[in-house]
Amino acid sequence: MSKPTITLLAGGVGGAKAAEGLAASRYADSTAIIGNIADDDEFHGLWVSPDIDTVIYSLANQIDRKQGWGRVNESHQVLNELKAFGEDTWMTLGDLDLATHIMRTKLRYEGIRPSVIAQRIAQRHRVSIPILLPTDDVVQTQVKTDAGWLSFQEFFVREQCHPDVLEVQFEGAKSAQACPETVQQILQSDVVVIAPSNPIVSIGAILSVPGIQQAIENTQAYVIAISPLINGKTIKGPADKLLKSAGLSVDSMGVFHCYENFLDAMVIDSSDESEALALKNTGLDVLVSQTFMQSIKDKQSLLEQTIDYALSCKKLRVA
Ligand code: GDP
Protein backbone atom coordinates (compact mmCIF):
# COMPACT_ATOMS: atom_id res chain seq x y z
CA MET A 1 0.00 0.00 0.00
CA SER A 2 1.32 3.47 -0.83
CA LYS A 3 2.19 5.73 2.05
CA PRO A 4 -0.22 8.52 2.96
CA THR A 5 0.77 11.98 1.78
CA ILE A 6 1.29 14.33 4.71
CA THR A 7 1.61 18.11 4.57
CA LEU A 8 2.79 20.20 7.51
CA LEU A 9 2.06 23.92 7.81
CA ALA A 10 4.88 25.36 9.90
CA GLY A 11 6.02 28.71 11.28
CA GLY A 12 9.33 29.17 13.08
CA VAL A 13 10.30 27.55 16.38
CA GLY A 14 7.12 25.49 17.04
CA GLY A 15 6.92 24.68 13.34
CA ALA A 16 10.53 23.53 13.18
CA LYS A 17 10.05 21.17 16.13
CA ALA A 18 7.08 19.59 14.36
CA ALA A 19 9.08 19.43 11.12
CA GLU A 20 11.83 17.51 12.92
CA GLY A 21 9.24 15.14 14.37
CA LEU A 22 7.83 14.55 10.90
CA ALA A 23 11.29 13.95 9.43
CA ALA A 24 12.01 11.37 12.15
CA SER A 25 8.61 9.70 11.73
CA ARG A 26 7.60 6.68 9.70
CA TYR A 27 5.82 9.11 7.33
CA ALA A 28 8.98 11.06 6.45
CA ASP A 29 9.30 10.01 2.83
CA SER A 30 5.82 11.09 1.76
CA THR A 31 5.68 14.57 3.25
CA ALA A 32 6.16 18.22 2.40
CA ILE A 33 6.37 21.31 4.60
CA ILE A 34 4.73 24.63 3.79
CA GLY A 35 6.67 27.40 5.53
CA ASN A 36 5.92 31.01 6.44
CA ILE A 37 7.49 33.84 4.42
CA ALA A 38 5.64 36.76 6.02
CA ASP A 39 8.37 37.26 8.69
CA ASP A 40 10.82 38.01 5.84
CA ASP A 41 12.58 41.35 5.79
CA GLU A 42 15.60 43.14 4.40
CA PHE A 43 18.64 43.83 6.58
CA HIS A 44 21.88 45.44 5.33
CA GLY A 45 20.63 44.95 1.77
CA LEU A 46 20.08 41.21 2.29
CA TRP A 47 16.80 39.30 2.15
CA VAL A 48 16.28 37.37 5.39
CA SER A 49 13.65 34.65 5.74
CA PRO A 50 13.74 33.67 9.43
CA ASP A 51 11.00 31.03 9.58
CA ILE A 52 12.13 29.16 6.47
CA ASP A 53 15.74 29.13 7.69
CA THR A 54 14.71 27.99 11.18
CA VAL A 55 12.93 24.99 9.64
CA ILE A 56 15.87 24.14 7.35
CA TYR A 57 18.57 24.61 10.01
CA SER A 58 16.55 22.50 12.45
CA LEU A 59 16.05 19.66 9.96
CA ALA A 60 19.78 19.81 9.19
CA ASN A 61 20.65 19.75 12.91
CA GLN A 62 22.48 23.04 12.36
CA ILE A 63 20.18 25.10 14.57
CA ASP A 64 21.35 26.76 17.78
CA ARG A 65 19.16 24.67 20.07
CA LYS A 66 19.49 27.00 23.06
CA GLN A 67 17.99 29.90 21.10
CA GLY A 68 15.78 27.86 18.77
CA TRP A 69 16.98 29.99 15.82
CA GLY A 70 20.27 30.84 14.07
CA ARG A 71 23.21 28.52 13.42
CA VAL A 72 25.07 26.49 16.02
CA ASN A 73 28.75 27.43 16.62
CA GLU A 74 28.03 30.85 15.20
CA SER A 75 30.32 33.92 15.27
CA HIS A 76 29.37 37.57 14.77
CA GLN A 77 32.36 39.25 13.20
CA VAL A 78 30.42 40.75 10.29
CA LEU A 79 27.70 42.10 12.59
CA ASN A 80 30.30 43.69 14.89
CA GLU A 81 31.89 45.34 11.88
CA LEU A 82 28.50 46.63 10.68
CA LYS A 83 27.92 48.02 14.17
CA ALA A 84 31.23 49.88 13.93
CA PHE A 85 29.87 51.46 10.75
CA GLY A 86 26.91 52.71 12.81
CA GLU A 87 24.39 50.21 11.36
CA ASP A 88 21.41 49.05 13.43
CA THR A 89 22.31 45.55 14.56
CA TRP A 90 19.35 44.53 16.73
CA MET A 91 18.61 41.72 14.30
CA THR A 92 21.31 39.24 15.30
CA LEU A 93 22.64 37.72 12.10
CA GLY A 94 25.68 35.47 12.55
CA ASP A 95 28.46 34.96 10.03
CA LEU A 96 27.32 31.52 8.85
CA ASP A 97 23.73 32.67 8.70
CA LEU A 98 24.73 35.72 6.66
CA ALA A 99 26.10 33.42 3.95
CA THR A 100 22.56 32.04 3.53
CA HIS A 101 21.18 35.56 3.22
CA ILE A 102 23.88 36.57 0.71
CA MET A 103 23.05 33.51 -1.43
CA ARG A 104 19.30 34.10 -1.15
CA THR A 105 19.68 37.76 -2.16
CA LYS A 106 22.03 36.93 -5.06
CA LEU A 107 19.60 34.32 -6.43
CA ARG A 108 16.65 36.71 -6.05
CA TYR A 109 18.57 39.30 -8.07
CA GLU A 110 19.08 36.62 -10.74
CA GLY A 111 15.30 36.31 -10.94
CA ILE A 112 15.08 32.83 -9.42
CA ARG A 113 11.76 32.03 -7.74
CA PRO A 114 11.93 32.22 -3.92
CA SER A 115 10.47 28.66 -3.81
CA VAL A 116 13.38 27.37 -5.86
CA ILE A 117 15.81 29.32 -3.67
CA ALA A 118 14.33 27.72 -0.53
CA GLN A 119 14.86 24.30 -2.14
CA ARG A 120 18.48 25.19 -2.95
CA ILE A 121 19.14 26.24 0.64
CA ALA A 122 17.54 22.99 1.82
CA GLN A 123 19.70 20.97 -0.61
CA ARG A 124 22.84 22.74 0.62
CA HIS A 125 21.95 21.38 4.07
CA ARG A 126 21.00 17.93 2.72
CA VAL A 127 17.39 18.41 3.77
CA SER A 128 15.37 16.16 1.51
CA ILE A 129 11.81 16.96 2.62
CA PRO A 130 10.38 19.48 0.14
CA ILE A 131 10.04 22.96 1.67
CA LEU A 132 7.23 24.73 -0.17
CA LEU A 133 6.28 28.41 0.03
CA PRO A 134 2.72 29.72 0.04
CA THR A 135 3.69 32.29 -2.61
CA ASP A 136 6.72 33.59 -4.48
CA ASP A 137 5.44 37.14 -3.98
CA VAL A 138 6.40 39.37 -1.07
CA VAL A 139 3.91 39.23 1.83
CA GLN A 140 4.96 40.93 5.07
CA THR A 141 3.31 40.92 8.47
CA GLN A 142 2.75 44.40 9.93
CA VAL A 143 1.77 44.92 13.55
CA LYS A 144 -0.15 48.00 14.72
CA THR A 145 0.84 49.11 18.22
CA ASP A 146 0.30 52.26 20.31
CA ALA A 147 3.47 53.60 18.70
CA GLY A 148 2.17 52.99 15.17
CA TRP A 149 2.79 50.25 12.62
CA LEU A 150 5.88 48.06 13.03
CA SER A 151 7.31 45.43 10.73
CA PHE A 152 7.09 41.98 12.28
CA GLN A 153 10.80 41.81 13.12
CA GLU A 154 10.70 45.32 14.68
CA PHE A 155 7.87 44.10 16.92
CA PHE A 156 9.27 40.61 17.58
CA VAL A 157 13.02 41.19 17.86
CA ARG A 158 13.66 44.92 18.41
CA GLU A 159 10.68 45.54 20.74
CA GLN A 160 10.68 41.95 22.09
CA CYS A 161 6.89 41.74 21.70
CA HIS A 162 6.35 44.32 24.51
CA PRO A 163 3.92 46.74 22.83
CA ASP A 164 0.22 45.98 22.95
CA VAL A 165 -1.04 44.78 19.58
CA LEU A 166 -4.02 46.61 18.10
CA GLU A 167 -4.12 45.02 14.67
CA VAL A 168 -2.20 42.69 12.35
CA GLN A 169 -2.03 42.99 8.58
CA PHE A 170 -0.35 40.92 5.89
CA GLU A 171 0.90 43.51 3.44
CA GLY A 172 0.88 42.26 -0.14
CA ALA A 173 -1.32 39.24 0.63
CA LYS A 174 -4.37 40.33 -1.35
CA SER A 175 -2.48 40.50 -4.63
CA ALA A 176 -0.17 37.52 -3.94
CA GLN A 177 -0.43 34.43 -6.13
CA ALA A 178 -0.30 31.06 -4.45
CA CYS A 179 2.44 28.73 -5.72
CA PRO A 180 0.68 26.10 -7.85
CA GLU A 181 2.78 23.22 -6.47
CA THR A 182 1.81 24.23 -2.92
CA VAL A 183 -1.91 24.23 -3.75
CA GLN A 184 -1.43 20.87 -5.53
CA GLN A 185 0.36 19.44 -2.48
CA ILE A 186 -2.55 20.41 -0.21
CA LEU A 187 -5.15 19.04 -2.62
CA GLN A 188 -3.40 15.68 -2.98
CA SER A 189 -2.69 15.20 0.74
CA ASP A 190 -4.25 12.58 2.96
CA VAL A 191 -3.49 14.55 6.13
CA VAL A 192 -2.70 18.22 6.65
CA VAL A 193 -1.02 18.86 10.01
CA ILE A 194 -0.92 22.39 11.41
CA ALA A 195 2.17 22.69 13.59
CA PRO A 196 1.97 24.18 17.10
CA SER A 197 2.90 27.53 15.59
CA ASN A 198 1.53 30.98 16.20
CA PRO A 199 -1.99 30.74 14.73
CA ILE A 200 -2.15 34.44 13.81
CA VAL A 201 1.25 35.47 12.48
CA SER A 202 2.72 32.13 11.37
CA ILE A 203 -0.18 29.97 10.19
CA GLY A 204 -2.51 32.97 9.64
CA ALA A 205 0.11 34.51 7.37
CA ILE A 206 0.31 31.34 5.25
CA LEU A 207 -3.50 31.20 5.07
CA SER A 208 -3.66 34.88 4.04
CA VAL A 209 -2.37 34.06 0.56
CA PRO A 210 -5.42 33.71 -1.69
CA GLY A 211 -5.88 30.09 -2.71
CA ILE A 212 -4.12 28.47 0.23
CA GLN A 213 -6.99 28.42 2.73
CA GLN A 214 -9.39 27.57 -0.11
CA ALA A 215 -7.24 24.54 -0.96
CA ILE A 216 -7.33 23.43 2.69
CA GLU A 217 -11.11 23.88 2.74
CA ASN A 218 -11.51 21.92 -0.52
CA THR A 219 -9.02 19.11 0.03
CA GLN A 220 -10.15 15.61 0.93
CA ALA A 221 -7.30 15.58 3.45
CA TYR A 222 -8.04 15.28 7.14
CA VAL A 223 -6.89 18.53 8.79
CA ILE A 224 -5.48 18.38 12.31
CA ALA A 225 -3.86 21.17 14.36
CA ILE A 226 -1.53 20.79 17.33
CA SER A 227 -2.23 23.55 19.84
CA PRO A 228 0.73 25.86 20.59
CA LEU A 229 -0.64 26.39 24.11
CA ILE A 230 0.37 24.30 27.08
CA ASN A 231 -1.51 24.80 30.33
CA GLY A 232 -3.19 27.75 28.64
CA LYS A 233 0.11 29.52 27.96
CA THR A 234 2.52 29.95 25.07
CA ILE A 235 5.97 28.50 25.57
CA LYS A 236 7.56 31.45 23.85
CA GLY A 237 6.45 34.31 21.67
CA PRO A 238 3.39 36.51 21.40
CA ALA A 239 0.62 34.00 20.46
CA ASP A 240 -1.34 34.94 23.64
CA LYS A 241 -1.12 38.66 22.90
CA LEU A 242 -2.10 38.15 19.28
CA LEU A 243 -5.05 35.87 20.08
CA LYS A 244 -6.32 38.57 22.47
CA SER A 245 -5.84 41.30 19.85
CA ALA A 246 -7.98 39.24 17.45
CA GLY A 247 -10.72 39.12 20.10
CA LEU A 248 -10.12 35.42 20.79
CA SER A 249 -9.62 33.60 24.09
CA VAL A 250 -6.13 32.39 25.01
CA ASP A 251 -7.01 28.69 25.12
CA SER A 252 -7.68 25.74 22.82
CA MET A 253 -11.02 27.25 21.80
CA GLY A 254 -9.30 30.48 20.74
CA VAL A 255 -6.84 28.47 18.61
CA PHE A 256 -9.73 26.43 17.17
CA HIS A 257 -11.52 29.63 16.07
CA CYS A 258 -8.48 30.54 13.94
CA TYR A 259 -9.00 27.32 11.96
CA GLU A 260 -12.71 26.62 12.36
CA ASN A 261 -13.54 26.83 8.62
CA PHE A 262 -11.58 23.70 7.83
CA LEU A 263 -10.41 21.88 10.97
CA ASP A 264 -11.27 18.21 11.61
CA ALA A 265 -9.28 17.65 14.80
CA MET A 266 -7.07 19.21 17.42
CA VAL A 267 -4.28 17.85 19.56
CA ILE A 268 -4.19 19.53 22.96
CA ASP A 269 -1.80 19.09 25.84
CA SER A 270 -2.73 16.86 28.80
CA SER A 271 -2.53 19.95 31.02
CA ASP A 272 -5.46 21.42 29.01
CA GLU A 273 -7.56 18.25 29.09
CA SER A 274 -10.45 20.09 30.76
CA GLU A 275 -10.95 21.98 27.47
CA ALA A 276 -11.45 18.79 25.42
CA LEU A 277 -15.20 18.44 25.97
CA ALA A 278 -16.01 21.94 24.71
CA LEU A 279 -13.93 21.27 21.60
CA LYS A 280 -15.65 17.92 21.01
CA ASN A 281 -19.02 19.67 21.33
CA THR A 282 -18.14 21.73 18.24
CA GLY A 283 -17.84 18.47 16.28
CA LEU A 284 -14.04 18.23 16.41
CA ASP A 285 -12.09 15.04 17.07
CA VAL A 286 -9.73 15.71 19.98
CA LEU A 287 -6.51 13.95 20.92
CA VAL A 288 -5.13 14.73 24.39
CA SER A 289 -1.40 14.07 24.72
CA GLN A 290 1.90 15.40 26.00
CA THR A 291 2.69 18.09 23.45
CA PHE A 292 5.84 19.65 24.89
CA MET A 293 8.67 18.65 22.53
CA GLN A 294 12.22 18.71 23.82
CA SER A 295 14.03 15.60 22.61
CA ILE A 296 13.85 14.21 19.10
CA LYS A 297 11.90 11.28 20.61
CA ASP A 298 9.23 13.72 21.92
CA LYS A 299 8.99 15.28 18.49
CA GLN A 300 8.77 11.97 16.61
CA SER A 301 6.27 10.54 19.09
CA LEU A 302 3.93 13.57 18.93
CA LEU A 303 3.96 13.72 15.13
CA GLU A 304 3.41 9.96 14.75
CA GLN A 305 0.57 10.03 17.29
CA THR A 306 -0.98 13.02 15.50
CA ILE A 307 -0.83 11.42 12.05
CA ASP A 308 -1.91 7.95 13.28
CA TYR A 309 -4.88 9.57 15.02
CA ALA A 310 -5.78 11.62 11.92
CA LEU A 311 -5.62 8.56 9.65
CA SER A 312 -7.76 6.45 12.00
CA CYS A 313 -10.40 9.21 12.36
CA LYS A 314 -10.39 9.69 8.57
CA LYS A 315 -11.00 5.97 8.04
CA LEU A 316 -13.94 6.05 10.47
CA ARG A 317 -15.45 9.03 8.64
CA VAL A 318 -15.22 7.29 5.28
CA ALA A 319 -16.62 4.01 6.66
P1 GDP B 1 7.99 31.64 15.70
O1 GDP B 1 7.67 32.09 14.30
O2 GDP B 1 9.44 31.44 15.95
O3 GDP B 1 7.26 32.39 16.77
O4 GDP B 1 7.48 30.13 15.77
P2 GDP B 1 6.09 29.42 15.58
O5 GDP B 1 5.01 30.35 15.16
O6 GDP B 1 6.33 28.20 14.75
O7 GDP B 1 5.82 28.88 17.02
C1 GDP B 1 5.52 29.68 18.15
C2 GDP B 1 4.63 28.86 19.04
O8 GDP B 1 5.20 27.57 19.23
C3 GDP B 1 4.48 29.43 20.43
O9 GDP B 1 3.14 29.84 20.58
C4 GDP B 1 4.81 28.26 21.37
O10 GDP B 1 3.90 28.14 22.44
C5 GDP B 1 4.74 27.07 20.44
N1 GDP B 1 5.63 25.97 20.84
C6 GDP B 1 6.98 25.99 20.87
N2 GDP B 1 7.45 24.78 21.28
C7 GDP B 1 6.36 23.99 21.49
C8 GDP B 1 6.20 22.63 21.94
O11 GDP B 1 7.16 21.91 22.22
N3 GDP B 1 4.91 22.17 22.04
C9 GDP B 1 3.82 22.95 21.76
N4 GDP B 1 2.60 22.41 21.90
N5 GDP B 1 3.95 24.24 21.35
C10 GDP B 1 5.20 24.74 21.20
Side-chain angles (χ1 to χ4, degrees):
M1 218 179 77
S2 64
K3 286 209 168 168
T5 301
I6 314 293
T7 301
L8 176 74
L9 265 62
V13 174
K17 285 185 180 182
E20 283 185 90
L22 192 57
S25 78
R26 70 179 90 92
Y27 300 104
D29 52 10
S30 57
T31 68
I33 296 167
I34 302 175
N36 172 36
I37 49 102
D39 288 11
D40 289 16
D41 217 332
E42 197 175 69
F43 295 93
H44 319 295
L46 301 174
W47 197 254
V48 179
S49 194
D51 279 2
I52 300 297
D53 292 345
T54 296
V55 169
I56 294 175
Y57 294 161
S58 297
L59 288 171
N61 202 18
Q62 287 295 318
I63 197 89
D64 180 328
R65 297 211 175 263
K66 267 197 211 127
Q67 296 179 153
W69 52 271
R71 294 280 297 269
V72 71
N73 298 326
E74 188 55 289
S75 54
H76 297 90
Q77 297 212 56
V78 175
L79 204 70
N80 288 338
E81 191 64 17
L82 288 166
K83 197 173 186 176
F85 271 109
E87 284 280 287
D88 267 342
T89 52
W90 50 262
M91 186 73 177
T92 309
L93 303 170
D95 297 330
L96 296 171
D97 193 29
L98 277 163
T100 304
H101 312 319
I102 291 169
M103 274 311 293
R104 173 180 286 116
T105 308
K106 173 181 179 276
L107 295 171
R108 286 175 79 100
Y109 272 119
E110 288 172 7
I112 297 177
R113 290 174 57 202
S115 304
V116 174
I117 300 173
Q119 256 343 296
R120 287 216 195 157
I121 296 169
Q123 274 163 15
R124 141 76 187 93
H125 290 284
R126 297 195 177 85
V127 168
S128 54
I129 292 186
I131 311 288
L132 305 177
L133 305 189
T135 176
D136 285 322
D137 297 323
V138 174
V139 174
Q140 287 179 304
T141 303
Q142 304 286 328
V143 182
K144 190 176 182 186
T145 71
D146 283 339
W149 286 95
L150 300 176
S151 72
F152 185 72
Q153 297 304 339
E154 284 170 339
F155 169 72
F156 193 68
V157 179
R158 194 188 70 196
E159 304 300 328
Q160 300 186 351
C161 308
H162 288 313
D164 282 337
V165 177
L166 307 173
E167 197 184 332
V168 171
Q169 275 187 6
F170 304 113
E171 205 177 276
K174 277 200 186 108
S175 57
Q177 297 230 329
C179 291
E181 65 273 26
T182 305
V183 170
Q184 195 51 38
Q185 171 69 29
I186 295 168
L187 293 177
Q188 72 187 28
S189 292
D190 296 293
V191 176
V192 171
V193 179
I194 299 181
S197 287
N198 189 312
I200 313 274
V201 291
S202 291
I203 305 301
I206 296 174
L207 298 175
S208 76
V209 173
I212 299 291
Q213 176 157 334
Q214 288 82 344
I216 299 180
E217 287 174 10
N218 294 335
T219 179
Q220 294 301 305
Y222 187 91
V223 185
I224 185 163
I226 304 171
S227 173
L229 302 177
I230 295 184
N231 202 14
K233 294 188 187 69
T234 62
I235 292 174
K236 211 174 148 256
D240 48 357
K241 211 169 227 185
L242 290 165
L243 282 167
K244 269 188 214 150
S245 79
L248 297 167
S249 52
V250 184
D251 56 14
S252 312
M253 195 55 87
V255 176
F256 162 66
H257 283 306
C258 297
Y259 307 138
E260 64 187 329
N261 290 342
F262 51 78
L263 205 63
D264 294 306
M266 242 174 116
V267 185
I268 63 169
D269 192 72
S270 313
S271 59
D272 296 315
E273 188 166 10
S274 61
E275 298 174 5
L277 187 60
L279 290 172
K280 282 182 187 162
N281 286 340
T282 69
L284 273 190
D285 294 322
V286 181
L287 173 66
V288 179
S289 187
Q290 302 283 345
T291 71
F292 185 48
M293 297 175 276
Q294 275 184 303
S295 68
I296 187 66
K297 272 219 163 109
D298 300 338
K299 295 169 189 168
Q300 176 184 351
S301 161
L302 180 58
L303 268 290
E304 285 189 347
Q305 277 181 62
T306 300
I307 297 165
D308 290 347
Y309 180 73
L311 289 169
S312 66
C313 291
K314 191 176 189 210
K315 226 183 205 169
L316 282 177
R317 285 197 178 181
V318 173

